Amino acid sequence: MDFQVWPEAIELGRLFAEQGFELALVGGPVRDLLLHRPSHDLDFCTSARPEQFEPILRHWGSGFWDMGRKFGTLGALRRRPDGTEVKVEVTTYRRDTYDPDSRKPEVDYGDSLEGDLSRRDFTVNAMALRVPDLVFVDPYRGANDLAKQVLRTPVDPRQSFDDDPLRMMRAVRFVAQLGFTIAPETAEAITRMTDRISIVSAERIRDELTKLMLSDHPVQGIEALVQSGLADIVLPEVPALQLEIDEHHRHKDVFEHTLMVVDRAIALETGPDGPVPAPDLTLRLAALLHDIGKPATRRFEPGGKVSFHHHDAVGARLARKRLKALHFDHHLIADVCDLISMHLRFHGYVDERWTDAAVRRYARETGPLYERLNRLTRADATTRNKRKAQVFSSAMDELEDRVAQLRRQEDLDAIRPDLNGQQIMQILNLKPGPQVGRAYQHMLDYRLDQGPVDQQTAEQELRDWWQSQDQGQA
């Protein structure tokens, strides 16, 4: 077969063979070899027990770990002369038995490579390459499925998914990562067994969703997730976007619009040195969830119009609840929800250009999310009206130019009032407390409205504002 095998894999195969053990490269690395895709993490299985092959790995690698020892897995790392790293994990041949109420298998050691391959999730991952002699092993015709770009289970899919329901999530994730389709009998089994996913931990589901969203084809994965029925359980806000369209089509299909926004947002990601390096999970999740508040806020107004008032705020609340349930990182949750709540902020600029004060506020309040928000906003403009699209794009270009110009003149990210808290207390003869906070906020608003001013002007503004307050309530 036409592929070039990692020299480290062949070397390990020789070391195992010298001790009388079988070793085979398995799973993703074999699949990636056939697809000519790069891979630096190599998975092997062996006839040896962990205590037998541990000395081999320790001798071979510059690093060693044994967190998977109870599952028969040990790992090692080697640094190449060019600075790159190769990570390997070696697992004793296994045959798994499952408790139907648990995601976790009970591991029994197996006695053959073919038996080990039978417990793999899909045929394209159930291929092996014996090393060092490079004998290709493919008992379930995985190479044929790989050529057809089809995902199929090695055994009956109902048994496979009953044994390990997470495999259903892995199926839609591989649709996104590889651009494959799910075989009809496998897809039918997923649809019939979606309720089994409820025994899988939130963290496991989150990890599969993350891999899906960071893949090359996330929209295909999202569609598969929804079509399978899995999304109804793990991310129900997304299939809920499939709103029934009224006969006069007074609003666009929200689900199809969302998929388009995800694609457009991905296209606006940048290279590694840009402001939003690809792939960006925060931007992609915000694009996926930005309109999930629409089903709850849809109203049919007089005159035949349809409205979704405050769907940005409602969507942010729904997104926060869902992402927390999936145990996403709280910083990522905050950023995604802020992007959703702000994704309509720019629209007023198209109708009436903002003052410099408003531009300063936009740049400062969006802060580190500024670049992502602009990309989400551009991606969300999916109108087919070429004139409207051009007007919107030109307005966004203009806003970004104005922000860039103001950034050159002022440090917008670090804007502070022209008077600090200590100066405010001294000028107004105040002690620390709420009055100082209100005065500080006023001076910050004044700074955003007027730009930087000299000390004398700032002090006069503070005194004028103070005199205008009801000092008993100030």
Side-chain angles (χ1 to χ4, degrees), residues 192-259:
R192 290 178 177 274
M193 300 177 68
T194 52
D195 61 313
R196 287 285 291 155
I197 202 68
S198 61
I199 71 168
V200 179
S201 70
E203 291 84 359
R204 291 275 190 166
I205 292 172
R206 174 204 63 204
D207 290 347
E208 291 299 326
L209 282 174
T210 296
K211 292 173 183 177
L212 185 159
M213 292 303 298
L214 293 177
S215 69
D216 291 338
H217 313 280
V219 165
Q220 290 177 232
I222 295 163
E223 289 178 315
L225 190 69
V226 171
Q227 290 166 4
S228 68
L230 287 169
D232 292 332
I233 299 172
V234 303
L235 202 62
E237 294 80 6
V238 172
L241 294 172
Q242 296 175 305
L243 298 176
E244 181 180 351
I245 304 300
D246 65 284
E247 60 179 337
H248 300 295
H249 290 266
R250 296 186 183 94
H251 67 82
K252 66 185 73 174
D253 183 304
V254 183
F255 179 68
E256 292 300 323
H257 163 75
T258 294
L259 298 183

Side-chain angles (χ1 to χ4, degrees), residues 100-128:
D101 296 322
S102 173
R103 157 71 180 88
K104 297 179 180 179
E106 298 175 4
V107 180
D108 293 325
Y109 290 139
D111 52 16
S112 72
L113 173 60
E114 289 74 11
D116 184 275
L117 295 177
S118 71
R119 50 168 289 279
R120 304 278 164 167
D121 52 4
F122 302 105
T123 60
V124 296
N125 293 328
M127 300 177 288

Side-chain angles (χ1 to χ4, degrees), residues 27-97:
V30 179
R31 181 195 70 223
D32 290 342
L33 266 179
L34 299 180
L35 292 174
H36 302 286
R37 287 162 53 107
S39 179
H40 298 292
D41 297 344
L42 307 182
D43 296 326
F44 297 87
C45 62
T46 181
S47 59
R49 300 291 194 262
E51 64 274 11
Q52 294 174 312
F53 66 81
E54 179 176 345
I56 301 176
L57 288 187
R58 286 188 180 275
H59 171 74
W60 175 86
S62 55
F64 174 83
W65 59 92
D66 63 353
M67 287 85 75
R69 184 183 293 272
K70 66 180 180 179
F71 298 111
T73 301
L74 304 178
L77 175 148
R78 174 182 280 189
R79 291 182 177 83
R80 292 169 171 161
D82 64 3
T84 59
E85 295 180 345
V86 177
K87 296 178 181 178
V88 306
E89 287 194 351
V90 182
T91 304
T92 301
Y93 293 154
R94 302 195 320 195
R95 55 175 178 264
D96 295 343
T97 57

